[in-house]
Amino acid sequence: MGYEFILSEVDGAVGLVTLNRPKVLNALSPALMAEVTDALGHMERDEAVRAVVITGGSRVFAAGADIADMAERSSVDQLLRDQTGRWAGVTSLTKPLLAAVNGYALGGGCELALMCDLIIAGDTARFGQPEINLGIIAGAGGTQRWPRTAGKYLAMEVNLLGGQLTAQRAYQLGLVNRVVPAEVTIEVARRLARTIAGKPPLAARMIKESVNQSLETPLQQGLAVERRNFYFLFATEDQKEGMRAFLEKRRGTFRGR
Ligand code: COA
C-alpha cells in the first residue's frame, strides 16, 4: 500500500505501521493520521492479521500533533474538521495493538501510545503532555487516559507541568509493559505481537473488548460484559480446539472461527 507519511506492511499474522515524517519528528498531521487509520482499517478487515504494532521507528515515536498545521486555526476550523475525533479509527481496531516507542512520545504521540493495548518502550522513550506550553490542552485523551492509567495526581503533574517521564518511570507507573534497549524495541514488540497472534483471535478480541469496557462501566455492568463474552466463546471452534488440545496433550491450532 503506497502511503506518503507512513509505512505499512504485514509480516505473517502481524501488521506493522511505521510513522514516517522523520524531519518533523513524526508530527501527527491530519494527513498522517488519516493514513494511520486507513492502514489500520485494512488490517482490521484482513483476517490473516491477528495483531498490529505501531511505531515511529528507531529514533522517535511522535513529537505530537503538527503544530505548524494547527498554529493559525480557529476553533471553528478545529471543530469542523474534528482533528482528534478522527483518531477514533485507532481505538476502533478490534485486534491487539502494540506501541513500540523509542524517543519522544509527546502530546498526541503520547496519546497515540495510550490508545494502544500494550506499550513496549525503548530505554530512550520519553512520555509527556506538553500542550500547556502552547496554550492548549491535550485533545486526544491525555487528560482522560492518564488518570485512568496512573491516577489523578500523576495526570495533573504530566498535564500541568508539561514535563517528560522517562521509560523507566513510565514502567514503574504501569504505563509501559516492558523497557528494552532501544535497538530492539520494535523486534520485541513484533515478537510479543507474534505470540498474541498465535492465540485464538476471537478470545483476544473479547479480552480487548472486556478490558476496555472495565474503564467505561460500573463493576457489575463490566462483569456482565465479561460473562457474556465468556459464554459466547463456547460457540466457537477455537474453544473446542483449545480444550481438546489441552486434554489430548497437543498444541492447539486456532482458526478464528
Ligand atoms: N509539530 C510540528 N513540527 C514539529 C513538532 C510538532 N509537534 N515537533 C517537532 N517539530 C519539528 C521542529 O519544528 C523542527 O523542524 P525544523 O527542523 O524545520 O526546525 C524539527 O521537528 C526538529 O525538532 P527540534 O525542536 O529542532 O528538535 P529538538 O531535538 O531540539 O527538540 C522536542 C525535540 C520534541 C523537545 C521539540 O521538537 C518539541 O518540543 N516539539 C513539540 C512538542 C509538543 O509540544 N507537542 C505537542 C503538540 S500539541
Side-chain angles (χ1 to χ4, degrees), residues 23-25 27 63-68 70 104 106-108 130-131 134 136 164:
K23 286 201 177 102
V24 286
L25 310 185
D66 190 329
I67 299 169
M70 293 185 293
Y104 296 115
L106 300 179
E131 288 91 340
L134 301 169
I136 57 169
Q164 296 173 13

Side-chain angles (χ1 to χ4, degrees), residues 128-226:
Q129 301 294 157
E131 288 91 340
I132 190 167
N133 301 323
L134 301 169
I136 57 169
I137 66 170
T143 67
Q144 302 302 302
R145 291 200 172 91
W146 271 102
R148 284 167 170 77
T149 305
K152 167 182 162 180
Y153 298 98
L154 206 281
M156 288 291 188
E157 178 180 332
V158 165
N159 282 278
L160 284 173
L161 290 171
Q164 296 173 13
L165 301 186
T166 62
Q168 203 54 44
R169 177 119 161 80
Y171 178 73
Q172 286 159 358
L173 291 164
L175 180 77
V176 150
N177 296 88
R178 304 264 194 290
V179 180
V180 300
E183 314 82 75
V184 297
T185 314
I186 298 170
E187 198 34 57
V188 170
R190 291 178 92 159
R191 181 162 49 75
L192 291 172
R194 278 196 296 274
T195 301
I196 294 171
K199 296 184 186 293
L202 294 169
R205 177 175 172 153
M206 293 302 145
I207 288 169
K208 177 164 176 166
E209 181 187 307
S210 304
V211 172
N212 282 333
Q213 277 294 313
S214 78
L215 300 171
E216 312 265 355
T217 57
L219 179 62
Q220 290 307 324
Q221 212 177 317
L223 289 171
V225 169
E226 181 190 80

Side-chain angles (χ1 to χ4, degrees), residues 23 57 64 69 75 81 109 121 123 127 162-163 186 193 202 224 232 239-240:
K23 286 201 177 102
D69 168 79
S75 327
R81 68 178 186 155
D123 48 15
F127 298 88
I186 298 170
L202 294 169
F232 163 79
Q239 173 267 330
K240 297 288 172 288

